[in-house]
Amino acid sequence: MLIAFSVAPSGIGDSVTAAVADAVRVVRESGLPNHTDAMFTTIEGSWDECMDVVRRATEAVGRHGTRVSLVLKADIRPGHVGELTGKVERLEARLAEG
């Protein structure tokens, strides 16, 4: 499964960089395939693996304030692995066809 999520504290001022860095650190230390962009972090793994990482990342952000916002989107496709890069590779191949 793929889970794209965004987690941030509320009410701590203009910058949430430190809190987001703590969440991304949890993701990277998990060992799961992952990708972070300007809006979301996407991870790939089993249901239990992914949800554990999301929970721990949310807890890490929660240490920065009293309220946390979590946005989550999941692509649940049993039996498929390597989709974190595979989906993009298939898209790029299609675009190269013209």
Side-chain angles (χ1 to χ4, degrees):
M1 87 181 308
L2 295 173
I3 292 185
F5 72 102
S6 173
V7 60
S10 298
I12 65 164
D14 290 339
S15 179
V16 296
T17 304
V20 172
D22 285 349
V24 172
R25 188 172 295 111
V26 168
V27 169
R28 292 183 178 173
E29 290 175 355
S30 76
L32 294 180
N34 64 84
H35 172 79
T36 299
D37 61 37
M39 297 292 293
F40 286 91
T41 293
T42 304
I43 55 178
E44 182 172 20
S46 71
W47 180 270
D48 290 338
E49 290 170 328
C50 289
M51 293 309 290
D52 178 61
V53 171
V54 170
R55 178 188 53 79
R56 291 187 294 116
T58 302
E59 290 170 349
V61 167
R63 291 191 282 276
H64 290 266
T66 58
R67 192 173 195 175
V68 176
S69 172
L70 172 66
V71 176
L72 185 143
K73 181 177 181 179
D75 180 4
I76 304 164
R77 196 171 180 198
H80 288 79
V81 296
E83 291 297 284
L84 186 67
T85 56
K87 288 178 125 182
V88 176
E89 289 166 358
R90 289 190 297 276
L91 173 64
E92 292 296 339
R94 179 60 61 107
L95 289 169
E97 293 174 0

